[in-house]
Structures are given as C-alpha cells and as structure tokens.
C-alpha cells in the first residue's frame, strides 16, 4: 500500500509535533515554514522540509501538493497566512485539511473557507487532561471522543444485590455496561438478570461528565 502523504504548514509546537509523529508512523511528510532555523531543525525527521512563505501562491504551487492525502495548517497567530493556505490547500484538491484555530472567530473563518476540521489543541488537551485527572487513573479510562469515554467503574454500594435489568442504568444513569469484572475475571456478556456484587467493577461507556460524577460518588 502506498504511503500516506501529508503537508504541514507552520512549525510551531503543534505543527512540529504533528509532522514528527506522522513521519515516525511511516507517512511521507512535507513541512513548510518561512523560518529557516525551524526548517533546518526538522529536516532530518521528515521527507521534505521547505523554507517558503505560505502566502506566496507561486512557491506553494511549485510544491505540487495536489496529490497529498491531507494538509495540517498549524499557523495560529498569523491569521492571514492560516486562512490563505487553507484556501490554497482546498483549491489544490487536498481532500482533508485540518487547521488550528486561535479563537472562535478564527475557527469560523477557517470553516467558511473550507477547512474540513478545525482544532483548538491547547483547549482540547486541557479538557482531556482535566478529565483524566478527574477520573483519577490514567489507565482505567479510554477516551472514545472528546465527549465519551469507556472506563472501569466500581459498582455503587446501592447497586449490590440488584441486576442490570432492575437497575436500568442505561435509562437512569445514561451509561452502557459492556462488561463486569468479578474476582479478577472479565465477563463481556453479563447476564442482565444476575445480581451485582459489592466488589464488582463495571466496564461502562458514557459521557465524561456523567462518568466523572459516578466515579467520584
Ligand atoms: P504553537 O503551535 O507553538 O502554539 P502558533 O499556533 O502560535 O504555534 P505561530 O507561532 O503563529 O503558531 O506559527 C507557527 C509557525 O508558522 C512558525 O514557525 C512560523 O514561522 C510559521 N509561519 C507563520 N506565518 C508563516 C507564513 N506566512 N509562511 C510560512 N510560515 C509561517
């Protein structure tokens, strides 16, 4: 299978991290930045590193980016450059353009000019870290999206002696129980009529705020 090709515009902390991770994962990665030092620093880690101003249509066209699988616009502070390169990347026919926004207005503009996905890396990382802290354990929760997670939840005291059918957690607590750990053994097909025991650990999927509340009860 052909390697995926990505172009990353802007080598701030976000762009550098995305570019290096994609390259380490075996993708072809072209990076573009107008800061020569940054281009030198990353050159050994990516496929091509080009020093150019992304608002210069001619130099961008000369890069031949139209066949790339995706573009990452990682320029936060220079609004004009961020918007312009998003337009140029979409016009070049790149199917997936992900752009970093500084604020809501910036995000709106990026979406209007065709960005397929707009991200706020600092804000999103902050939310994820806070959720991990609230859940108390980095290893017993798997984030499925920014809103939903799957995690281990100690059965609440009042649940002991009642079956999943009686408790009706899906309707009452808005969580889905997909497994039960009892005595170190995982049952991924729990019987709806089996009464829960005091030390049961439930594997549940639900909204982060609901899981956090239950975890901290
Ligand atoms: P971080 O990810 O570190 O938070 P940031 O979002 O603050 O970065 P900027 O510092 O604005 O982003 O820019 C990121 C990179 O984009 C810088 O390395 C800068 O040199 C580059 N850059 C800014 N404008 C242009 C441009 N017109 N052409 C090419 N590169 C540019």
């Amino acid at each position: 299978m052909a390697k995926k090709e990505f172009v990353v515009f802007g080598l701030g902390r976000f762009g550098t991290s995305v570019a290096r991770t994609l390259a380490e994962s075996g993708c072809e990665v072209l990076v573009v930045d107008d800061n020569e030092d940054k281009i030198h620093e990353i050159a050994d880690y990516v496929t091509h590193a080009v020093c150019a101003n992304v608002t210069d249509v001619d130099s961008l066209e000369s890069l031949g980016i139209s066949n790339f699988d995706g573009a990452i616009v990682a320029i936060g502070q220079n609004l004009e450059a961020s918007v312009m390169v998003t337009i140029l990347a979409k016009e070049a026919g790149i199917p997936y353009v992900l752009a970093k926004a500084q604020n809501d207005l910036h995000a709106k503009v990026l979406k209007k000019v065709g960005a397929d996905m707009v991200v706020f890396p600092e804000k999103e990382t902050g939310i994820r870290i806070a959720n991990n802290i609230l859940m108390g354990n980095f290893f017993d929760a798997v984030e499925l999206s920014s809103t939903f997670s799957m995690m281990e939840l100690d059965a609440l005291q009042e649940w002991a002696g009642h079956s999943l059918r009686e408790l009706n957690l899906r309707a009452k607590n808005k969580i889905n129980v997909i497994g039960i750990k009892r005595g170190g053994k995982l049952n991924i097909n729990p019987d709806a009529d089996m009464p829960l025991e005091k030390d049961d650990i439930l594997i549940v999927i639900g909204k982060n705020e609901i899981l956090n509340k239950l975890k901290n009860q």
Side-chain angles (χ1 to χ4, degrees):
M1 202 172 73
K3 283 184 175 181
K4 292 238 176 211
E5 289 181 294
F6 294 97
V7 53
V8 177
F9 299 104
L11 293 172
R13 289 158 302 175
F14 174 63
T16 302
S17 166
V18 171
R20 287 190 57 162
T21 306
L22 290 172
E24 278 163 18
S25 309
C27 301
E28 301 281 357
V29 179
L30 162 67
V31 297
V32 187
D33 198 293
D34 62 0
N35 179 319
E36 237 172 85
D37 293 339
K38 291 193 169 174
I39 289 297
H40 282 306
E41 268 170 39
I42 204 167
D44 288 343
Y45 301 97
V46 295
T47 320
H48 298 291
V50 174
C51 188
N53 186 327
V54 299
T55 61
D56 177 353
V57 180
D58 293 337
S59 37
L60 213 64
E61 273 176 0
S62 71
L63 295 172
I65 55 171
S66 52
N67 290 326
F68 279 60
D69 297 290
I72 294 88
V73 179
I75 301 174
Q77 287 171 43
N78 185 341
L79 191 78
E80 185 196 348
S82 145
V83 171
M84 206 159 152
V85 77
T86 301
I87 295 173
L88 293 172
K90 281 317 287 182
E91 276 184 1
I94 297 183
Y96 185 75
V97 177
L98 178 147
K100 167 188 165 153
Q102 284 285 89
N103 52 48
D104 290 342
L105 186 60
H106 188 183
K108 231 182 212 175
V109 177
L110 288 168
K111 279 189 195 143
K112 278 252 183 307
V113 300
D116 298 283
M117 173 92 180
V118 176
V119 296
F120 297 87
E122 296 88 351
K123 185 173 152 194
E124 286 160 17
T125 307
I127 292 170
R128 190 159 49 240
I129 289 174
N131 277 324
N132 281 336
I133 291 168
L134 286 168
M135 284 179 189
N137 184 337
F138 284 87
F139 300 106
D140 66 4
V142 176
E143 195 180 59
L144 303 173
S145 73
S146 57
T147 319
F148 294 95
S149 295
M150 176 172 72
M151 71 169 205
E152 292 186 349
L153 177 71
D154 293 335
L156 301 189
Q157 270 182 6
E158 63 258 34
W159 293 351
H162 298 281
S163 68
L164 290 175
R165 197 186 301 282
E166 286 165 0
L167 292 168
N168 200 7
L169 300 178
R170 189 181 294 177
K172 286 190 189 150
N173 297 70
K174 308 270 184 283
I175 56 169
N176 274 294
V177 178
I178 57 164
I180 297 179
K181 262 191 196 172
R182 181 176 291 173
K185 279 199 180 145
L186 174 65
N187 176 0
I188 54 153
N189 195 10
D191 179 347
D193 293 312
M194 174 185 76
L196 295 183
E197 293 180 6
K198 158 170 104 32
D199 294 326
D200 281 350
I201 298 170
L202 311 187
I203 316 297
V204 298
I205 291 179
K207 274 196 164 177
N208 291 330
E209 64 253 36
I210 290 174
L211 296 177
N212 286 335
K213 269 191 205 144
L214 287 169
K215 184 93 181 171
N216 292 306
Q217 261 182 24

